[in-house]
């Protein structure tokens, strides 16, 4: 087992004042002699199967098998610890993922530095018309954008001015911080196992997630991709970019596909999938087929 | 809010000496004035959306929306408490679902009754040849079956004989119980929220789960279907009987479907899906379409 | 089992715009025929002990036994659901208790109402000199207090002015809300089992907790006291108002107590404790006694 | 950061066929340059306090402070992974600690080896008369002991004989294993953070825990003591060997102690406690003192 490659521990800048950096990983091995965190997953999975699978299946194949069958427990055997700095409104979304351990800076102990998130002009957008929770794809007109940024600056200045003056008056920090906008940066250590990191990424890499948390998820994903490359590959194929269809949807689709079409579909996968995966796929393809 | 329909609290027999019975449900309302646990889910979801959605979407539609978008937190707002009695090897699988609260009979305090699981002859089957962890579909020959049942009976008798004689010698119960076979019945109270009950059911209703735990999952599913009928319907359509395809698989499938086929597929769903669901489906259908 | 007493579901006002109200309780029984949530705890505990304890110990005695021996699992068998409205900085502390289910109002979907926490003048206090994380007991001079309140009002007005004007410019709500101060109110459904409610109360009723979350904990405690009176009594005696001493501390204390003193101490408890509790206490009293 | 000291990864034999061994630890540092897992705890705690505490308090002092104030989150920043082999009845107790990740050998995939726990003769004891759940301190008479061991051997032999013959008849492994006694060994990977490892140890090092799980807890404790020596020291002083008194108990005790006695008690701790800890202790000592 070797130490982490140097670059892996460098902070990745996110938004205007934020970052994510890897603090530690269990196991602390990567990219040397082909040893990555993937091997710790495979090793744990093999406790279940004992000798049986030791020779028959490569670690990569095993990881793909675990991922597509939702045998999630071996992915819990890898643990990641991050240090991150982000606006409070991002922290408020992030903290909702409860299967993690957190140590956050305390605004009762500490005076928070004057760092407030200010969106890039292009990120100020109109309320989305199709997706009630997000913003649209189009730009806002330049005037509105400018007015918004000016408003934000004014609020931030006013709030930090009030904060500083209350602290000068010796008002308790826990009271004074009440004026700070949720755009203010906070920071924390955040530690979770790889399964729950992937659950987090699945939800927060999604286009429905707010852009400002998505960029943190992307930075974290880029680290996972290096620490556990086979797991990441499988995550992308099966979870992130996979497609789910309800029973009636799949019935409606499969009605278009005769046996010849199904054969052609399988043919396209022969070079991509292992024989075992292909066998399972064939069964699933035909499962909803009306007799 | 009304009380639970009487029949809901009756024990459902499972295997030869086991059962599952509903002890309590939050909310304690069902099937009266159309009030079921589904409404508690919708009400919690509406805390997030406030007035916005109150009129525009029926509770059933909202639940289907939550289910297919993995907005899982409102399903945690319903809580179920079961009393169950099952063989220890089933309990050993069941207990692995950690997001539940348990009170189990203690074999340190109590003398366990002489109740041992004895499979139906038809359930004694050969090791599966395709699925390394389960049993095959064919029967075992009658002689082997009989020999197995006789073995099981002999072991059970011998073990309980030894147990009783050690207890007569005043050996501590915690030591004496060491001889009992994992076919011995145990019992517990088991309480979890509806989300985690569904996660449990998803894994334990699956054909890969051992038959002896699947029958408990089926009994619990039949209760959920009455307590929260819309949630159950959506669970079956999206989670249980839905189909998942990896990115390469879906690319291989969609290559068979020209725009006319996609239109016909949509046409089949017009009467089944709400306009919103259909719109989302159309996007997903075409998402992986090469330009 | 009867329904909840009416008054139990009324909102309890907390701070200037906030409240806590009980939405539901499992079991839905209270104060009738002596049936409270306490009985659901005892019933679950008795699954472990079976017939053995049924007659020998009253439910109250059993609950006290469970509480002082940290047999915590039966307390998980009671579930509480609250609706609460509180400043965001309070929500940020509260959400850190991960063993709960939450549905919070979304500032991406909804426009937040202009409700901002404004402390009572007497609650504006200097930074504590002994406790680095809190505020002191003394008042701040009147001028500073007034200046602080004026600052807070100004920030709130400025922030909500900016918020409104951005919304008028059709800026996405998720972006506009970035200017709101953490004193702004949010609301949620919050559901947890009684064990974790007590863990929450233990930490947040403590004088080290910030006053603004303590008042929510007090309101919730008053509800628990009615729903599960014996559990509450035991919680107060053993957990909340109990004393913990480290090994060296207790050794230093017990060195002052000769056997006569220990006897007198026991004598004071004869009318308060059950014989079993007293027996255990006697053992603990003498455990650290040097031979 | 250095690698783990060699000896730390050696299996520790427990019971007749079992063991515990450390598989991995986050951080992977120990006993070199004074760097142990303790430092990862202190570093995480300092995220909360920022510069404020950096110089003022040693890491050891900080850890003691966290431990006695139940600031538990920094202890979650250390993660431990163990490989253990133990009788199934021990695994059934162990698995109840839900805040861990597990990969266990599957008796559906694998044929279990013929390894059955056989107590040492001296560990076969009568049912306890004072503690309804355990065994007494006295020995059982030699004849009963021998009879018990002979029974156990007979059951084990009979069960494994039946198991083997069913497997020869090609009965599915998941069915055949039903005859195995709960004394049969199983094994798993078990991973948890240090807080939850300590919660586990607190409950399972206790004299009320069954001896056969206590010996595993002791082996794990010996590893924690090397990996995080200051945390272990504080765990022992405050949690494990600390004393808890209910409010009425402490009132009864303190009634024996006049101000002179309290002063003498404090005097005994002057060389043991830091000034801060002593100050807190003095407050607690007098808190319950009637005015
Ligand atoms: C006075 C005070 C000051 C505080 N100051 C700070 C501060 O400066 N910085 C800061 O970051 N926090 C601070 N906190 C928050 C504190 O660190 C805890 O997050 C909070 O009190 C919740 O406690 P908990 O973890 O015991 O509760 P819960 O999250 O409800 O957990 C209860 C128990 O469940 C188990 N558990 C729950 N979730 C998990 C999981 N994902 N993995 C493993 N085990 C789990 C653990 O055994 C845990 O102890 C402070 C809290 C208080 C009361
Ligand atoms: C001497 C002894 C005797 C026992 N006898 C019995 C018995 O007769 N019958 C029996 O059934 N059990 C018995 N137990 C087991 C006991 O009830 C607990 O299950 C076990 O000790 C694990 O403790 P825990 O729940 O604190 O641990 P964990 O499961 O690790 O939980 C730690 C903390 O995390 C939080 N948490 C974890 N998971 C959840 C969740 N899903 N939901 C909410 N909060 C969660 C809780 O705050 C919990 O206290 C006994 C235990 C001991 C030590
Ligand atoms: C796009 C988007 C929009 C959202 N909008 C809203 C909103 O409007 N309002 C709102 O309140 N939230 C909202 N959320 C947050 C969402 O409800 C979840 O809280 C968040 O996504 C965390 O997901 P989780 O619960 O799966 O993660 P985790 O908390 O990490 O949980 C993972 C799994 O662990 C189990 N688990 C963890 N903790 C517990 C526990 N205490 N008890 C039982 N099981 C547990 C469950 O099976 C859970 O699914 C939104 C999230 C997204 C991605
Ligand atoms: C067919 C089948 C075969 C199996 N074979 C084996 C086997 O050979 N060996 C084996 O060991 N197991 C086996 N299992 C058990 C499996 O590994 C899981 O333990 C079990 O299915 C419970 O699933 P879960 O973890 O999703 O459930 P839960 O424990 O209920 O967890 C739900 C989710 O909550 C979160 N969560 C809960 N607790 C924690 C925690 N402590 N820390 C972090 N996140 C948490 C996670 O996101 C988790 O996915 C098998 C299961 C099935 C269905």
């Amino acid at each position: 087992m070797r130490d982490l490659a140097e670059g892996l521990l460098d902070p990745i800048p996110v938004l205007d004042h934020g970052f994510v950096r890897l603090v530690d990983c269990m196991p602390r091995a990567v990219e040397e002699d082909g040893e990555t965190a993937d091997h710790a997953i495979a090793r744990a999975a093999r406790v279940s199967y004992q000798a049986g699978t030791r020779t028959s299946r490569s670690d990569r194949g095993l990881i793909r098998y675990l991922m597509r069958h939702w045998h999630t427990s071996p992915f819990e055997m890898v643990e990641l610890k991050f240090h991150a700095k982000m606006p409070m409104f991002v922290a408020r979304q992030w903290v909702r993922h409860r299967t993690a351990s957190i140590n956050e800076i305390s605004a009762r102990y500490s005076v928070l530095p004057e760092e407030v998130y200010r969106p890039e002009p292009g990120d100020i957008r109109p309320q989305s018309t199709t997706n009630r929770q997000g913003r649209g794809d189009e730009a806002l007109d330049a005037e509105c954008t400018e007015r918004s940024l000016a408003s934000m600056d004014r609020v931030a200045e006013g709030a930090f001015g009030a904060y500083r003056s209350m602290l000068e008056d010796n008002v308790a920090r826990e009271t004074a911080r009440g004026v700070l906008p949720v755009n203010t940066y906070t920071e924390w250590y955040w530690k979770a196992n790889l399964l729950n990191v992937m659950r987090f990424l699945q939800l927060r890499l999604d286009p429905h997630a707010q852009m400002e948390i998505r960029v943190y998820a992307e930075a974290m994903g880029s680290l996972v991709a290096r620490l556990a490359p086979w797991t990441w590959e499988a995550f992308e194929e099966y979870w992130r970019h996979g497609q789910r269809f309800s029973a009636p949807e799949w019935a409606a689709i499969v009605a278009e596909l005769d046996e010849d079409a199904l054969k052609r579909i399988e043919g396209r996968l022969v070079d991509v999938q292992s024989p075992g995966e292909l066998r399972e796929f064939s069964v699933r393809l035909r499962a909803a087929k009306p007799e």
Side-chain angles (χ1 to χ4, degrees), chain A residues 93 96-100 133 196 199 203-204 208-210:
Chain A
Q93 298 179 350
R96 294 294 302 280
H97 299 258
R98 295 156 293 179
T99 44
Q133 78 184 330
N196 288 306
R199 285 199 194 278
L203 289 170
R204 302 301 179 176
H208 286 91
Q210 186 166 346

Side-chain angles (χ1 to χ4, degrees), chain A residues 45 48-49 70-74 76 99-100 193 195-196 199:
Chain A
S48 304
Y49 313 140
W70 295 83
H71 286 195
T72 52
S73 52
E76 298 185 18
T99 44
N193 65 43
L195 170 65
N196 288 306
R199 285 199 194 278

